[in-house]
Amino acid sequence: MESIGKLVTSLGIRASYGEKVTIDGAEVVPVALVWFGFGGGSDEGGEAREAGGGGGGGATIPIGVYTGGINGPRFQPNLVALMAVSIPLALVAGKALSHIIRALKK
């Protein structure tokens, strides 16, 4: 449980906002969308009562950077990540909409 607690605390702000980086003389702070999950279980019906298992996983998507500007920090989105997320989302939404329209016509 201690290792899970350490992992959860390290996946907070530090995972979503990276360390400040200098690119072409400009300082930027990378921003990512982070999510994770854990699960566990046990096998109480079998011979070995100590048997059990668990697992977990997660993902990060770099969504952009904060850059400094004349009027303060400004967010610049990562267009590649935006397209990687929006294209499948648009396909699923279009498919769902076609099913809804087909059902309403009946």
Side-chain angles (χ1 to χ4, degrees):
M1 290 303 286
E2 286 181 28
S3 61
I4 291 175
K6 290 178 185 176
L7 180 64
V8 169
T9 57
S10 69
L11 287 175
I13 297 292
R14 286 185 275 153
S16 297
Y17 297 95
E19 295 293 324
K20 194 182 300 185
V21 180
T22 304
I23 300 174
D24 292 333
E27 291 185 337
V28 298
V29 176
V31 181
L33 179 63
V34 180
W35 69 91
F36 59 94
F38 299 99
S42 65
D43 183 14
E44 295 194 21
E47 291 280 326
R49 294 205 176 255
E50 296 177 8
T60 60
I61 298 176
I63 58 172
V65 296
Y66 277 106
T67 61
I70 298 170
N71 297 326
R74 184 177 62 148
F75 181 75
Q76 293 182 327
N78 179 352
L79 296 179
V80 174
L82 181 64
M83 288 179 56
V85 171
S86 64
I87 290 173
L89 182 64
L91 289 173
V92 169
K95 186 82 167 168
L97 188 60
S98 71
H99 285 294
I100 291 170
I101 292 171
R102 193 173 306 134
L104 290 175
K105 284 183 177 181
K106 289 183 179 183

